[in-house]
Each structure stands twice: as C-alpha cells, then as structure tokens.
Amino acid sequence: MKRAQFGHSPIPYLFVGPQLAIIVVFFLWPAGQAVYQSFLLQDAFGLSTRFVWFRNYEDTILNTVWLESAGFTLLFSALVSFFSIAVALLLAVRANEVIHAANAYKTLLIWAYAVAPPVAGLIGGLMFNPFIGDLYHLFNAAGWDFNHTRDGFDASFMVILIAVWKQVSINFIFFLAGLQGIPASVQEAARLDCRSDERRFWTITFPLLAPTSFFLLVINVTYAFFETFGIIDVTTRGGPGGATNTLVYKVYTDGFLGADLGGSSAQSVILLLMVLGLTVLQFRFIERKVHY
Amino acid sequence: MADIRLSQVEKRYPNGAHAVRGVCVDIADGEFVVLLGPSGCGKSTLLRMVAGLEEITEGEVAIGGALVNDVSPADRDIAMVFQNYALYPHMSVFKNMAYGLINRRFPKEEVRAKVEAAADMLQLRDYLDRRPHQLSGGQRQRVAMGRAIVREPKAFLFDEPLSNLDAKLRVHMRVEIKQLQRRLGITALYVTHDQVEAMTLADRLIVMNGGVAEQIGTPLEVYERPASAFVATFIGSPAMAMLRGRVDGGALRLDGQPAGLPSGALKAPDGPVTVGVRPEDLRLAEDGWIAGRIELVEHLGADQVLHAALDGQGERLIARFAGAESLPADGPVRLAADPAKLHLFCPESGRRLAA
C-alpha cells in the first residue's frame, strides 16, 4: 500500500534538534574520540603520541588482570540481574495479592528507586562499616568471619547485595504494572482450571509477564555493567586486590588514575562491543520465546 | 451433572456494601436458570460466589449435594464463561481448552480426544493451532465455550457471555448455547441484563434488584404475574405503564374519578394502588377510562407503538397495537384495558397485591 505523502515542514526538525545536538555532543563525539584514542599510545605526560593500530587492544585482551576483571564482571552482572529480577518478581507478586494497606507496601517497596547508585553505595558502605556497620556486626555475630576489606568473596557479596537492593525497586514497579495489566478474568479463569497456585504462576502469570521480564533483563544487564560504577567507587574501589574490579571501573582507574588514555579507550570500546553483543544475543534467543 | 442449592446466601464487602441479601434457590439437575437484573443488582456477585471467586459472607452454597463454601474454585467441578472470554492469550486454542484437563492429570490421548470432540461440536477444528488474538469475536466466544464443555463439569456458569458480540451473532450464539446445554444436559446458571436473552434461554428466571431475588419463576410466570412493580417494569419491552390510583370498594378510581370498571372487578383491599398495564393489553376505546394526549406514534410495520401523556398524572404510558390502522399523530386519546389484565401493586412496598 502506498502511503500518502504530505509537504514537509521544517518545524519537526527544530523540535528534534536539541535532542540530536545532545546525542552528538555527549555521545557520538566522545565515543568517536574513544575509538580514535584507542589506536594511540601516549607517554605518561602527554608529550608525544604514536599511532599504534591494534596494540592497545592486544595488550588489553592478553592481560590477565583484564581477563580476571572481565570474568568478575560477567559473573557479577549475571548474579545482579538474576537476583534483582527474581526478588522484584517475588515482591511484586506478593504485593499484588495484598488487599489491606496495599499502597503503603507498594510505596515502601518503590522508595529505594529514588536513591542514586553512589548514595546506595554510601548507605551500603555504612551498613558494612567494620566499626559501626550493623550488617557487618550481624554477619560476624552469626559466625561468618565477614570482612570485605580483606576477603574478595565477602567484598563481591557486599557489592552484589547493594547493587541488587538498589535495582529491585525499579524492577518491582515494572512487574507490578505488568501484573496489573493481566486481566483479572484471565487469572480467575485459571483459578477454575488449576488448583495449584505455584503451577498457575508458572503457566499463566509468568508467561504473561514475559515481555516485562525480557525488557527488565536487557535493562538490568546494562545496569550491572555500567551503572554499578557508583556503588563500587564508593564502597570497595575495586578491591581488595581487584576482586570487585568491574570492567567499567577498570576503564576509569586505568584511564583517569593511571593516565593510560589509549589502553583505557580500547577497554571501553571492547566493553561497548560486549554489551552490544549481549543485547543482540538476548534479542535473538530470548525474545523469540516472548509472546507480546 | 448436579443440582445447585443456595440457602440464605449473603454477601457483604468490607466497605459495608451489601451486595447479595438472603438469596434462596434450588436449581434442579439440568435446569437452565438465568439471573436477570440491572447493573449493580448483585447478580454477577451471586454467580461468582457459586464459582468460588467471591467468598460467601453467610449462607450455604451446595453443588451436587456437597457444601462448597470452603472448596476452592478448581475443586468445585464447575466451568465458567466470562464476559470478555478470559482466554489465555499466550496459548493456542488447543492448549486453552486442554489446560484444565492437563491440570487434572488426564492422560494425553484422552485430553486430545476430548478437545477434538469439543472442537468438532463448536466448529473449531481448523483453528486449534491459532492464538486467541487471531480469532474473531464469535470464534473466541466458541473457544470459551469449548474450554467449559471439555471438562464435562457439574455446572456451567455464564457471566454475560454474549454482551461483547454484535446483535446478529448474539442471537446466533444464544441459540447455540441453549442447544448445547440441552444436548449435554448440564445445569447452567446464566447472568445477563438483557431480558430477551433471559426470556429465551431460561427454564427459570431469578430477577434481582438491590441484592434481593425479587422473583423466581418461569419466564412466563414472571411476565404474566410479576411479583413486584420493579419486576413488572423491568421485564417487557416497551415497559409496563404504571398509573396511580385508589381502590374503593373493589372499584378503581384514577385521579378521584371512577375508572368505570365494574364494582368488585378488583380483588384488592381499599386504599392507594399502583396499577400496571402491559402495552399490548391496552386498546383504543371511545369511552376508555384512561385519558391522555398522544405524543408520538411509531410505526414498526407489524405493530404501532403509541406514546401518550396521561391527563392529571404527569405519567407517560406506552401502548402497542397490532396492525397498521391509522392513528392520529396527536390529540386526545382514550384507552381501556381488561380488568383481568391489570396488575396491582402496593405503592409503598412495590409488592403485588392479590389480584
């Protein structure tokens, strides 16, 4: 079918203009700079610059520190995404069943959304502070020799806990909206057809929430890769001994603290490609199982 | 297949709303009972209490002789058809119908055989692999029916199942539902606000108003001897005319004037009454005892419908005459009705007076 064509007016471009300008100035231009920088080698004082082709990429990928960081990042992202989605789903399903004071529960569960990642990190840091941290003392009192400043596992546990806590509230909002989008009569028809609450959840509710879950998976993976920077910077700074050094935090330390602009640029380009690849994979293999 | 017994069923919501008040009815095995009433009269609530989707505040519901007040919906062995069909959007037509059977652990071959038999009965055989959103409204309605019949439940519950269909399809599906229920011989409870649906489908009607079952009876009983002024005006289209009058020694007076009916024609105690007359029971008469002015005459081909404003009462009435004899478009008119066809109601309680 042929679509009707109307005379174009320049006004829409005026409206789109500011947004495009922001994308160009704050994304395309720096991204282009990063790609360009990733081919350069600079001395520590920035006095001489050499074009080195893919040397920076080779150095990055062959470096065991980077490989360890990449391994941790993948595990960290998988755990953070899984737990923030699972916990949020559980809370949303339960909150959706509450009749009395439902709004109070919902508001309380949504609250943490207003907390920025560095603030979440700060709160977490205080909770785990060896001197005044309640959780620190709780774990130790419970017989777990917990010390996130010495033990890599404990530090990973702490940052994952804080990252999940921060993300659960936004996932909760989406799941709650998704649940309320399922017609009540469909749930009721299912109650007549299936006695078991659990089975009904997995055969009716969960498939109908699949579009929401898929969207959240994409969002949460991106969150775990990039936005947890603030939490790590405030709590562990990648330590102890690089145990919680995610790729994005390593880009920052190598580039801004280590002044290795070329290497850090190469890392950030690789990180970008990883997340891009993961997102494409999710759309290719998981979205197929989602029925909108 | 089973009977359904409701005794003194009450529903009160936590906010104080009293949705169903003391409904008692015995539905025989294989009977088709229609719950009829205006929006908010509690008919859907009552149906949902039988289904187990609403808690029963007081009273008892028994299906097939077993008390089901505390039995979960899935264990009541009933099937329900919802107004918006409530099909599972992510499942094929086959899985929609099979879901209840699979959950009840029927063997695979039996599930397939039952679903295919139901699909044949409802002409859905070619659509088993489709998803609900690929079907038309009538087909979705059939799938919802199919989902109900594959389980061979003790009872069918219908919650306004036809109100989302267009008028033509509604008539067609109405006939199909009735034939299907007859053939399967399964007890059915059907909620509607459409009186034509109610009159045509029902073996027995329950007319509800404000949570109360105002009248329970066959469609003809309800039409011919409405138990209250509410039932009288709710059933029948155009609605029954209601006139204010007095009974004086067995004779009727309208606006203080004798209505000219023979003394002793009405067996009602003296006092004020509301007189109901069905539109088709009115006839034109030179010396008729109902006087008014014609406001509008509608010619429907087979009948004509006359709208008149009554002198002195400020009330309107509608009369229906067979045939196409020419009626004046306006001017005064006098109408009469056979005393035996009058319905007398108490003006305060609205209940029918002995007549």
Side-chain angles (χ1 to χ4, degrees), chain B residues 280 282 301-305 319-325:
Chain B
E280 63 270 26
L282 286 162
D303 331 298
Q304 321 183 60
V305 175
R320 187 160 69 189
F321 310 109
E325 60 175 304

Side-chain angles (χ1 to χ4, degrees), chain A residues 226-240:
Chain A
F226 294 121
E227 285 170 54
T228 48
F229 173 86
I231 294 170
I232 289 172
D233 190 44
V234 175
T235 52
T236 62
R237 297 184 167 268

